[in-house]
Amino acid sequence: TREQKRKLREVEKLNTRLREVDELKDQFLANTSHELRTPLQGIIGLAESLKDGVAGKLPQKAIDNLNMINSSGKRLANLVNDILDFSKLKKHDLELQLKPTDIRSVIEVVITILQPLIKSKEIELTNDIPENLPFVIADENRLQQILHNLVGNAFKFTEKGHIQLSARVNEGMVVIKVADTGIGIPKDKQKGIFKSFEQVEGGISREYGGTGLGLSVTKQLVKLHGGKIKVDSEPGEGSTFSFSLPLSDEKASKSEKIKKDLVKQHVGEEEMEEEKMDGTGIIGEILSSPLNGRVDILVVDDEPINLQVLKNHLSLEGYHVTLANNGMEAIDLIEKGNTYDLIILDIMMPKLSGYEVCQKLRELFLPSELPVVMLTAKNQVIDLVEGFKTGANDYLTKPFSKDELLSRIKTHLNLQRINRATGKFVPYEFLRAIGRDSITEVNLGDQVHKEVSILFLDILGYTTLSENMTPKENFLFINEFVGQLGPVIAENNGFVNQYIGDAIMAIFPKNAEDGLKAAVEMQQQMDEFNQMRAKENKKEIRMGIGLHTGPLIMGIIGDKHHAEPTTIADTVNISSRLEGLTRQYGVRIIISESSTKQLKNSGDFHLRYLGQVLVKGKQKPIKMYECIDGDKENILKLKTDLQNDFDKGLKHFYNKDFPEASVVFNNIIKQNTDDHAAAYFYRRAARFALDGVPEGWTGTEKWDVK
């Protein structure tokens, strides 16, 4: 009838409204729980750092009170976690990471975590799980949560006696039991304890605490695993909770078993015996040695309390801490040239989120160069995946364990030190160029085609210089020489691809201007180096530099036993030959025309055209220029003042007006005896004026240089 239809519509409307209210309630619980994590972390973290002595030594009574604050904060954190899990389970958002799992090992972890609480009562806790019990298919973290809830409940409702854990195989399932000698549960109340927000009676809640969500969450987690949970109990005689999990067809590998490291992660290293690493060689030494020297950590968070907590924890460990109140401030610190060994990054921040900050950092640094640990209240799997997608090395949710945080930081710093060690053999820039984040990702045959600028540098007359030195003196000299120049290359956005005895081959991936700046600075630094040598009555060192821009292949060659990074291209050969021509022309820096075309601000440099040459093995001539900015100051001034005369002399020379050219260059030499390029052209012009030019001469010089 019409009336029935009307009532049905009203009922449907009411049901829709109730579902909306229920959904709003769940959303409110989830959002509130997330917001509670930040102040909770402040309470727990500040209490812990005060206990550790961040404000100086405290009396025992103050430490006892801080322990209670800490305990209350962790208790509240557990309640918040229950609410979040309840919300996720209700929405079916919780996903399990199932794999073969050793129940006995998981239980050992839970017992270790709860041991300090157990000791506060006259309770004996025993693990009677057989060592040969088959593995189960389970999510280790969620199985640990199930056991923590059941054993924690048993402890809460047992004043003295014992708590026993046992297990057996039954019809393709493993049944785990947690039995206690506590207060017990009446028969009529046993079904209700697995419902949300329900306990045996209101008085229990006031006496023992809790939200009534623990067993509800536990039941749903067991159900997600494909098992069942039940309770057998009598008032005054204790309770036995039993739940089942499916058997695994395979055994977990040793690496999947839960070891002491997992326990250490929860209870702190101070409660565990220190384990020594058995390392050999360079990497073993890096791993086994302590973190020496200053370690700089940047902490980015918009919550002042969080910043203080993290600063307290890290400062007590000896780290040097810089604080940034938001992502923009962090990026600004990096762009100003500040360097850090590790960054701790919050996600939810105004203006620039942690994800966006991490993306910007990855444009500048590889994960192996600058580790980023994200620290946030966002704990959904999708949040974690997003964090790793943007380039984070690790991800911790609030409230976090201080010991876990410090342990992870130490791990990432050690990994960074290993990467820095390998970076001395395979530069980060080389890895980035071939599309790899770390040396462990490199494969034989990896390669990339790039347009780059190659700088080739060599000591002039090194053979004569080295004849008067012993092999050890030679080695020490070369080491000091390259040690002076390597950093200059890095500061100008380049990297050393190869040290070849007394020569250096460097790559500048961005532009030729970086390479030319580096060449000028290296010549200037060599002048300072020579001033020091002069005081020790040592001979002056001169070096030539060639710079050429062109294509090349960067990649990894070798075999399965040995591989190394290399560059293969004509560009490398040309830059080497240009360096060789510095000897012929008596100049310090020669740059090819292809490089000059890439100079964004060519007016910042003083260049003199030297003509074009055809070097051995080449079909096409190369136009080349001398960069005089690397000359000593007095020579640079004279060359600059006489630039017009030099250009005029060169014009006469290539027009075959050799008598006029020789007059101009001779005049330049009289004013500047150190202009060796002018002297070269004077000699050539004078000879051609007397003897004539070779047949077929077009102005292109042919040089047989290596």
Side-chain angles (χ1 to χ4, degrees), residues 173 219 222-223 226-230 242-245:
M173 306 288 280
K219 181 179 180 179
V222 171
K223 189 176 179 181
K228 295 180 180 178
I229 187 169
K230 66 175 185 175
S242 57
F243 67 97
S244 57
L245 295 172

Side-chain angles (χ1 to χ4, degrees), residues 45-50 52 54-55 305-318 321:
L46 288 172
E48 284 183 339
S49 57
L50 284 169
D52 291 339
V54 71
I305 292 176
N306 284 350
L307 289 174
Q308 188 61 51
V309 167
L310 289 164
K311 184 176 182 181
N312 289 353
H313 288 335
L314 298 171
S315 298
L316 284 168
E317 291 297 308
V321 183

Side-chain angles (χ1 to χ4, degrees), residues 564-583:
E564 63 180 35
T566 190
T567 51
I568 300 174
D570 197 43
T571 305
V572 177
N573 297 329
I574 292 174
S575 64
S576 172
R577 282 161 171 71
L578 290 177
E579 182 279 319
L581 287 171
T582 60
R583 296 166 172 80

Side-chain angles (χ1 to χ4, degrees), residues 648-659:
K648 187 188 297 182
L650 210 60
K651 187 176 181 180
H652 284 309
F653 182 82
Y654 287 115
N655 285 335
K656 299 183 181 180
D657 299 327
F658 300 117

